[in-house]
Every structure is written in C-alpha cells, then in structure tokens.
Amino acid sequence: MTSRNRPAAVLALAQGRTNGQAPKAAGVSGRTILRWLDDPAFQNEVADTRTELLRLAVGRLDESR
C-alpha cells in the first residue's frame, strides 16, 4: 500500500508541506516519510517535482502578461 502513496508524498513535499504534514496528505506514517527521505532517488523525485511546479507557475505568470 505505501509504495502506491509515494507519488502523493513526493507532491506534498514538493508543494512545501513539512515532514509532519506530508504523511497525512499521502496517507502514510511519519516513519515512512522519513525512510523515503533517506533514499536519494526519492529526494531527487521531490526536487524534480518542485522544479516542475515552479516552472509551471512561472509559465502561468508569464501568460498573464
């Protein structure tokens, strides 16, 4: 079940939710979030998702000019 929740955890963390808020958003335990955060691949997923969210936000701002 928890691996199915991994994308939700990535998104929650990329959106700026704390390590305390992300488990609830993803439907996993805090311990699971901490375990995933020890994984460099997971850290990269969060960073890449954060970058993509920022790119999309900047693109929307540029379109509104």
Side-chain angles (χ1 to χ4, degrees):
M1 172 167 129
T2 55
S3 63
R4 198 172 359 147
N5 301 58
R6 189 173 164 126
V10 168
L11 184 58
L13 291 166
Q15 290 174 329
R17 294 199 180 153
T18 66
N19 293 358
Q21 296 167 331
K24 185 174 182 180
V28 296
S29 71
R31 177 125 173 86
T32 296
I33 293 289
L34 292 176
R35 190 175 67 247
W36 285 343
L37 283 168
D38 282 337
D39 178 5
F42 182 81
Q43 293 172 17
N44 288 336
E45 285 180 65
V46 172
D48 290 348
T49 301
R50 185 177 293 130
T51 299
E52 182 63 14
L53 290 173
L54 182 58
R55 187 190 69 74
L56 291 169
V58 169
R60 286 185 181 164
L61 288 173
D62 189 48
E63 289 173 359
S64 67
R65 288 180 168 199

